[in-house]
Amino acid sequence: MNTRRFFSLGIRIGISVFLIWFLVANVDTSSLVSAIRSVSPTTILAAALLLLLNVFLNSIRWKLILQKTDIESGVGKLFLLNLANFFYGFALPGGKMSADVVRTYHLARITADGTEHVPTRAILGSVLDRAVGVLSFGLMAAVILGFGWGSVMPVDSLSRTLLALSLVVSGAGLIGFFTPFLDPLLRALQGIPGFVKRSSQFVLEALTAYRREPGTLLLSLLVSIAANVVAALSLLIFSSALSLPLSFPALLLFYAIAILTTYVPITVGGI
């Protein structure tokens, strides 16, 4: 590891340690431990099973996405990769971005067929999978903030900003996946040799395939939304056991924002 990378890693670790310390220092830990102990094992088991169902549904989404990138892998293998990804997202420097690199590497390794394009297709499949996930978060946040305006969050600059960002993410995702708006850019990128050329070719081919059969993309999007709902249900069960006055729409919004922040390399979720 060179000096620059070592310095960058040190800064990220330092920021994460400070954030963890700040959270712990401002929480009554004895009350928190007492509240957690009051939660029944059945409640914890139910919440954990729902989280596993969330990972399984996300694996189905990934399977649907990979079908258009010419990568064949069973849902069981993808489920195991996503479980490992869940751990790496909190343990590796760089958060979910680093975890996705590891996930993509293992996907390319277990689906290798002797051709040089497998790593590129694996990267494409992982990126498109995450793009569908981000799109589902954007749509979910836009619906919650739009129809629950003032009830889920106070009407202030933060809620307006979140609504604007969710609309931008949703609009960009829908345009990119379902219209040829980005096709000229992808064709232009094919003039750059090497990885950029291969990647842009595969992206264009995959998007074209999705548009021919939009049902696959719509199904993967619905599966992703279902996975988000299941995760929020898990949070609802746990928060109810702790007697926290949190509504289900608020937890849906919190989950979407929390997952998106773990993609930021300096967050607690991934140092």
Side-chain angles (χ1 to χ4, degrees), residues 227-247:
N228 298 339
V229 170
V230 166
L233 282 173
S234 174
L235 293 175
L236 180 63
I237 290 175
F238 202 72
S239 63
S240 297
L242 294 174
S243 300
L244 298 176
L246 298 174
S247 67

Side-chain angles (χ1 to χ4, degrees), residues 19-56:
L19 290 174
I20 294 172
W21 169 83
F22 179 80
L23 290 173
V24 173
N26 288 275
V27 172
D28 186 349
T29 53
S30 60
S31 298
L32 178 62
V33 171
S34 176
I36 293 175
R37 285 179 176 175
S38 67
V39 179
S40 68
T42 304
T43 299
I44 296 176
L45 178 61
L49 289 176
L50 284 174
L51 285 179
L52 287 176
L53 178 58
N54 164 264
V55 176
F56 181 74

